[in-house]
Amino acid sequence: MYDYDLLVVGSANADLVIGVERRPGAGETVLGSDLAVHPGGKGANQAVAAARLGARTALLARVGDDGHGRLLLDSQRAAGVDTVGVLVGGAPTGVALITVDPSGDNSIVVSPGANGRLTPGDVRSAVSLFHASRVVSAQLEIPLETVVEVVRNLAPGSRFVLNPSPPRPLPTEVLAACDPLIVNEHEAKVILGDACVSDAPEDWVRLLLAKGPRSVVVTLGAEGSLVASSSGAVTRVASVKVDAVDTTGAGDAFTAALAFRLGAGSALPEAAAYASRVGAVAVTREGAQDSFPTAEEVEAV
C-alpha cells in the first residue's frame, strides 16, 4: 500500500508576472501591467495540480528561508500537499520572471536559487518518500545529477514520469526509466538533437522511443498530443478547444494529471485525454497554481 499517489521532485519558484502588449526586442523597453507574485516552479506546480485533482501528493524540493519560500510552503499546504520533503535554506528561493501577452502566450526566465541546491544527497535522505510513492515525477529545473539520483532511488514497482524542461540531452540511465517521457515540440527537438531528421511529430515519437524510454508523450498544443508505448504504435489524443487566457503552468497541470491517472491504472491514451482536459481548464484562467482545476471542474468539461 502506497502512502502517496504521486511524489514530485523538482523546483519551487516565486513567479513574478507582468502582462505586456508585446514582448520587447533586443535593446527595447516596453511598459507592462502591475507586478503580480504567485507561487510557481514546475515541481511545486505539479504537486498542487495533482493534489487539486485528489491525488495524495508529496513534494521534494528546496526553498529559501525568505518570504517567497513561505509563500510556496503555504500554497502547497493549502492545496493538501505533504511538505515533509521540502527543505529550507541554502540559497534564496528560486524566481521566475514571466511576461504574458494578450494571446495568453508567455516567455519565462528562471533564476534557480535554492532549486540549484537540491542535491543527490537530499534525494538519498528522502528514500522513505520514494518507497511510499506509486508514481514519481520530475523536471529539469533542478540539477541533472539530482534527477539521475531520483532514478536510482525509485522503489520497485513505482513509475517514473519526466518532463525534461528546460530541455537538455539526457543520460541513457534517465531515458530508460521514463514511463513516459513527456515533451513539447521544442523539447523533443532538443532531446533528439542530430537525430531529429523529420518535421513530422509522429516520427519524433518513434525517434524518441528509439532512445530508450518505455513510453513517450509529445504535446502539440491545440493539435492535442501523440502517445506511444514501447510497441511503437502511435495514438493521437485530441485537444479540448477553449479560449486561452494564460498558458502559464498548463504543461505542469497536464503532466501532473497524466502521472496521477497512470498511477490509478489508466492506459496511457486515456490518461493523456484526461490530462488534456485538465490543461484546457487551466489555460482559461490567469496564473499557474491559481488556474489548476479540481476533479469536479474537470468532469464538467
Side-chain angles (χ1 to χ4, degrees):
M1 179 65 184
Y2 294 101
D3 295 327
Y4 303 106
D5 299 307
L6 179 64
L7 168 63
V8 181
V9 185
S11 57
N13 293 326
D15 286 350
L16 310 185
V17 184
I18 299 177
V20 294
E21 286 301 313
R22 60 181 178 82
R23 296 184 185 88
E28 182 184 13
T29 298
V30 300
L31 294 177
S33 66
D34 290 343
L35 175 69
V37 181
H38 303 288
K42 290 185 175 297
N45 286 350
Q46 287 185 16
V48 168
R52 289 259 178 88
L53 296 171
R56 297 168 300 164
T57 308
L59 174 65
L60 174 58
R62 184 176 287 277
V63 299
D65 185 10
D66 49 34
H68 287 154
R70 289 184 285 276
L71 170 71
L72 285 157
L73 283 166
D74 288 345
S75 70
Q76 293 293 309
R77 291 164 180 160
V81 176
D82 191 334
T83 59
V84 67
V86 179
L87 306 167
V88 179
T93 301
V95 172
L97 308 177
I98 303 173
T99 58
V100 182
D101 71 18
S103 73
D105 284 335
N106 60 66
S107 295
I108 304 174
V109 178
V110 175
S111 171
N115 297 308
R117 276 72 166 185
L118 187 67
T119 67
D122 294 331
V123 170
R124 291 189 292 271
S125 296
V127 67
S128 60
L129 282 176
F130 288 87
H131 285 272
S133 302
R134 185 183 305 276
V135 180
V136 177
S137 177
Q139 325 79 39
L140 297 183
E141 287 184 338
I142 58 175
L144 183 57
E145 58 265 28
T146 303
V147 177
V148 172
E149 195 64 26
V150 167
V151 168
R152 293 173 179 173
N153 282 270
L154 294 171
S158 68
R159 190 163 188 164
F160 179 61
V161 176
L162 177 67
N163 171 219
S165 179
R168 71 191 81 170
L170 295 172
T172 301
E173 181 180 6
V174 171
L175 283 167
C178 295
D179 193 14
L181 175 74
I182 304 175
V183 293
N184 61 21
E185 177 179 350
H186 170 63
E187 292 154 2
K189 290 179 177 179
V190 172
I191 299 301
L192 286 172
D194 292 340
C196 190
V197 294
S198 170
D199 291 328
E202 289 83 0
D203 291 334
W204 301 342
V205 174
R206 298 185 181 95
L207 291 167
L208 286 166
L209 277 174
K211 284 186 167 288
R214 302 176 191 182
S215 57
V216 170
V217 176
V218 176
T219 59
L220 301 170
E223 301 303 314
S225 59
L226 297 172
V227 306
S229 63
S230 57
S231 67
V234 179
T235 302
R236 181 175 287 273
V237 177
S239 65
V240 178
K241 305 302 180 185
V242 295
D243 293 324
V245 172
D246 183 357
T247 60
T248 307
D252 302 326
F254 179 96
T255 298
L258 187 144
F260 173 39
R261 295 309 305 166
L262 288 175
S266 296
L268 187 56
E270 179 186 352
Y274 180 80
S276 292
R277 285 159 45 206
V278 173
V281 176
V283 300
T284 63
R285 305 168 177 175
E286 293 186 350
Q289 294 180 18
D290 289 343
S291 74
F292 298 155
T294 64
E296 292 76 18
E297 289 170 328
V298 177
E299 290 304 318
V301 175

